[in-house]
Amino acid sequence: MAIKKNQLIKLSKASIDRSEIKAVTEVLKNEYLGMGSQVEKFEKLLSNYFNNYVSCVSSGTAALQLALQAHGIKEKDEVIVPSVTYVATFQAISGCGAIPIACDVTSDKLLINTEDLEKRISKKTKAIIPVHYSGDPCNLTILKKISKKYGLTLIEDSAHAFGSKYKGNILGSHKGTSCFSFDGIKNITSGEGGCVVTSSKKVDEYIKNSRSLGVIKDYELRYQNKRKWDFDVKYQGWRYHMSDIMAAIGIEQFKKKEKFFLKRKKLALNYDNLLKNYRKIIYFKRDYNQIVPHIYPIRVINFKNIKKLQIKLLDKGIQTGIHYLPNHKLSFYKNINNKIPYHNTNKLFNEIITLPLHYDLNFKQQKKIIDQLISSINEF
Ligand SMILES: *Cc1c(COP(=O)(O)O)cnc(C)c1O
């Protein structure tokens, strides 16, 4: 039986109301659509929130690429990154001409495995990109120690982690460089978009220029909805700026962030409760006082049929996800690394499935999801 579109429980989605529609309409009515006063306003809100420099760009992937370049990463440099991440992290690295070296993850939370990471450091290694997978922070204390010991740049992929805290402080508020995504399904969205948060004025300045084709201080006049005709360019740039249409959505979403965070935490806690007596499933132990869950992955122990389980659940009107197919298995990246095995990644990716999590989900739907999940697993 085909499930009607409005009965489908989605894996993830944006939550938009009249406020975003009104804000975008205002921008359209003004007829200034590019990078302008709205981008400046969104950046100021974010900059106050993180207490650091912020540059808004066209995507989280662009944020990662520009952050790498701002830190001097170039062709043939090696950058170590967990294999379990969205391909965006890998593409941002290879987009700079650098080589993404996949490393293994921890078995309990799929976060970067620092022991494995250290084994993969070579003379060519220049940077590490840990991913705060599912919104749960990596061990930044150890990562900072390792990067100091080997002289490596640390750039955080915080795409999942807008609002999450590490040792009581929100990610992005400490010293260093951190990249966020505001694509349509992230904790807050600007339609598409992202930002680089950094404590370095130099890194921020580089990104503000390189996102506008390298045009030096292009943003100064654009923030006043004007344009510069006399300028210089000193290095390769990209057309990666954010537009006022996107920023207008982002500003409205930013105002609602606490409401979004709270709901995500409540839903994740409710899943934990629904799953706690079920032995075949392991859920991730996360501290919701500290973190905002972006996704809700679970592990079905020794299960071999995740794809078939996904199809079964979709038949019952429940969309699920796989976060993620390991990047070291993709054609474009599989020949780069191979000598050291990916023990946890290779074992776990067959057992991981992600359940729906977004602001508009409710407890009743969650009960249905868990009931259907358990009965489906038992059918195998
Ligand atoms: C979403 C995401 C990105 C990239 O963000 P985009 O805005 O989609 O380009 C990077 N890393 C991870 C882990 C993500 O989930």
Side-chain angles (χ1 to χ4, degrees):
M1 186 186 69
I3 300 285
K4 283 202 203 105
K5 205 172 155 217
N6 60 2
Q7 291 175 331
L8 181 73
I9 302 176
K10 286 198 171 184
L11 172 64
S12 49
K13 69 185 245 338
S15 180
I16 297 291
D17 64 26
R18 276 190 309 218
S19 66
E20 288 88 358
I21 295 169
K22 184 163 168 274
V24 170
T25 307
E26 289 300 319
V27 173
L28 292 173
K29 280 186 183 159
N30 271 333
E31 298 186 331
Y32 183 98
L33 312 183
M35 181 169 74
S37 58
Q38 296 301 305
V39 173
E40 183 183 31
K41 187 175 166 191
F42 190 29
E43 263 171 11
K44 279 196 173 144
L45 287 170
L46 292 166
S47 185
N48 282 334
Y49 180 60
F50 290 118
N51 196 22
N52 259 330
Y53 298 103
V54 174
S55 290
C56 283
V57 292
S58 55
S59 70
T61 313
L64 287 162
Q65 190 196 318
L66 295 184
L68 285 162
Q69 288 172 328
H71 282 280
I73 306 306
K74 52 184 193 317
E75 268 173 46
K76 306 283 188 308
D77 287 346
E78 292 184 357
V79 179
I80 302 181
V81 53
S83 191
V84 182
T85 182
Y86 189 43
V87 68
T89 325
F90 274 67
Q91 285 277 6
I93 298 166
S94 49
C96 305
I99 304 164
I101 301 294
C103 75
D104 207 4
V105 292
T106 58
S107 58
D108 59 341
K109 290 175 163 190
L110 304 185
L111 293 172
I112 193 163
N113 182 328
T114 50
E115 280 168 29
D116 181 86
L117 147 72
E118 217 168 337
K119 288 185 203 150
R120 294 178 203 265
I121 295 175
S122 79
K123 284 201 184 83
K124 290 187 198 156
T125 309
K126 292 282 150 56
I128 308 167
I129 306 189
V131 178
H132 300 307
Y133 176 87
S134 85
D136 210 359
C138 302
N139 191 326
L140 287 171
T141 312
I142 294 181
L143 286 164
K144 279 184 180 171
K145 243 181 225 162
I146 293 176
S147 51
K148 206 167 169 192
K149 182 171 164 194
Y150 297 92
L152 309 175
T153 297
L154 188 66
I155 294 170
E156 294 158 60
D157 181 339
S158 305
H160 287 193
F162 186 80
S164 283
K165 291 176 183 168
Y166 181 71
K167 295 191 173 167
N169 300 313
I170 50 165
L171 289 169
S173 66
H174 47 275
K175 199 162 171 274
T177 300
S178 186
C179 300
F180 291 84
S181 163
F182 305 129
D183 80 27
I185 56 148
K186 294 286 165 36
N187 290 358
I188 69 164
T189 184
S190 55
E192 295 283 357
C195 71
V196 182
V197 182
T198 181
S199 54
S200 160
K201 190 170 179 4
K202 216 175 114 202
V203 166
D204 184 63
E205 195 68 29
Y206 181 97
I207 288 162
K208 284 202 166 66
N209 294 329
S210 60
R211 70 177 169 182
S212 308
L213 299 171
V215 174
I216 305 292
K217 296 208 186 280
D218 187 48
Y219 55 90
E220 283 182 345
L221 282 178
R222 287 202 192 253
Y223 285 166
Q224 299 164 42
N225 295 5
K226 288 180 198 155
R227 200 175 147 183
K228 216 183 182 95
W229 296 104
D230 180 26
F231 60 79
D232 194 16
V233 170
K234 295 179 182 163
Y235 43 80
Q236 177 65 50
W238 311 89
R239 191 113 170 105
Y240 282 175
H241 63 265
M242 182 179 271
S243 80
D244 266 13
I245 298 178
M246 297 154 91
I249 299 171
I251 291 164
E252 294 309 314
Q253 290 265 305
F254 182 85
K255 293 180 192 162
K256 294 186 260 186
K257 63 183 179 320
E258 297 303 332
K259 179 179 93 167
F260 288 163
F261 295 166
L262 197 65
K263 181 73 180 282
R264 282 181 178 274
K265 291 175 187 209
K266 275 190 182 160
L267 292 167
L269 267 176
N270 189 45
Y271 270 140
D272 289 359
N273 281 327
L274 291 168
L275 287 169
K276 71 177 170 224
N277 295 321
Y278 196 64
R279 281 175 297 117
K280 283 185 195 164
I281 293 174
I282 296 183
Y283 60 87
F284 292 51
K285 306 283 178 296
R286 305 185 292 192
D287 176 4
Y288 299 116
N289 290 318
Q290 291 290 308
I291 77 136
V292 179
H294 171 57
I295 52 175
Y296 196 90
I298 54 164
R299 181 176 163 202
V300 191
I301 299 167
N302 291 327
F303 200 68
K304 300 269 177 315
N305 290 304
I306 286 291
K307 282 192 190 118
K308 285 187 186 150
L309 177 62
Q310 275 197 298
I311 294 167
K312 249 185 213 277
L313 288 169
L314 193 58
D315 259 3
K316 292 167 179 166
I318 299 160
Q319 221 177 34
T320 57
I322 305 226
H323 292 86
Y324 293 93
L325 182 70
N327 284 272
H328 73 268
K329 291 181 181 291
L330 302 176
S331 301
F332 192 43
Y333 298 115
K334 71 179 172 203
N335 296 323
I336 301 176
N337 334 254
N338 32 43
K339 293 185 195 89
I340 311 168
Y342 296 90
H343 180 73
N344 292 337
T345 304
N346 286 343
K347 175 171 170 41
L348 295 177
F349 101 90
N350 286 310
E351 301 180 2
I352 300 287
I353 183 168
T354 310
L355 305 182
L357 185 68
H358 55 77
Y359 179 77
D360 294 316
L361 192 72
N362 61 47
F363 281 20
K364 196 171 152 222
Q365 289 172 315
Q366 283 186 295
K367 178 83 173 67
K368 175 182 165 180
I369 292 163
I370 299 304
D371 288 348
Q372 297 291 0
L373 172 74
I374 290 170
S375 71
S376 297
I377 289 173
N378 288 335
E379 283 168 27
F380 282 97

